[in-house]
Amino acid sequence: MPYSKWDEVVLSIEDSFGYGHKLFSKLKVIVIGYDCNVGYDVQYLCYVPPYETVPCGFKTFKITQAHIKYFNADKKFLGDYGCFITKSTQIHKHAPAETGEKCDRCGIWCGGAERGFNDDAFMCSSCRTNPYR
Ligand SMILES: [Zn+2]
């Protein structure tokens, strides 16, 4: 699979600007889920940050509960804007997600840390050692 969850992908989108010449716009999105059941191509659900300018003619949608469930995406994206990409979507840049977790208690980023599969919350080692810090 070309992308994994939390990867940052800068799409290169042909802007249907209305003029004769082609214009390519860049749009940064974050992969938040994927669906392997579509056959030869994997469909990725991406989050479109609100500060991004969506090129004219590019299809985005509001992320619903159904998307969250089907793509196993984080509930926090509910109601945000999303889009679909596949491996054949033209991209400008692909930045694999930094491995690590943000501590749910103190908010510190722990590079290389991994959340347990069934963990709802992640705590850094300092918070685990001293819950009263
Ligand atoms: Zn912590």
Side-chain angles (χ1 to χ4, degrees):
M1 278 197 319
Y3 309 122
S4 24
K5 218 166 158 177
W6 307 120
D7 280 8
E8 203 177 274
V9 184
V10 181
L11 309 178
S12 180
I13 299 157
E14 196 182 319
D15 209 324
S16 48
F17 207 46
Y19 293 102
H21 61 273
K22 277 188 183 179
L23 189 79
F24 286 90
S25 296
K26 294 181 183 72
L27 175 67
K28 192 178 88 181
V29 299
I30 293 152
V31 177
I32 58 168
Y34 50 84
D35 167 31
C36 301
N37 303 316
V38 285
Y40 65 96
D41 211 352
V42 183
Q43 196 178 37
Y44 296 90
L45 176 65
C46 297
Y47 165 66
V48 182
Y51 52 82
E52 286 291 318
T53 308
V54 178
C56 185
F58 184 72
K59 218 175 116 199
T60 60
F61 49 83
K62 259 205 168 134
I63 297 170
T64 65
Q65 193 64 54
H67 292 117
I68 302 277
K69 212 175 150 207
Y70 192 77
F71 289 90
N72 194 23
D74 199 310
K75 288 191 292 292
K76 71 179 178 191
F77 296 111
L78 185 66
D80 286 331
Y81 280 96
C83 69
F84 288 128
I85 63 166
T86 66
K87 67 174 189 296
S88 43
T89 301
Q90 205 181 349
I91 67 157
H92 171 71
K93 203 176 108 191
H94 172 209
E98 201 187 317
T99 53
E101 286 286 352
K102 206 169 103 182
C103 174
D104 287 329
R105 195 163 175 279
C106 65
I108 283 173
W109 179 263
C110 305
E114 235 176 282
R115 189 179 293 247
F117 191 69
N118 290 312
D119 287 1
D120 280 334
F122 171 79
M123 275 208 278
C124 69
S125 50
S126 311
C127 286
R128 261 179 303 191
T129 324
N130 179 11
Y132 304 105
R133 84 189 183 109

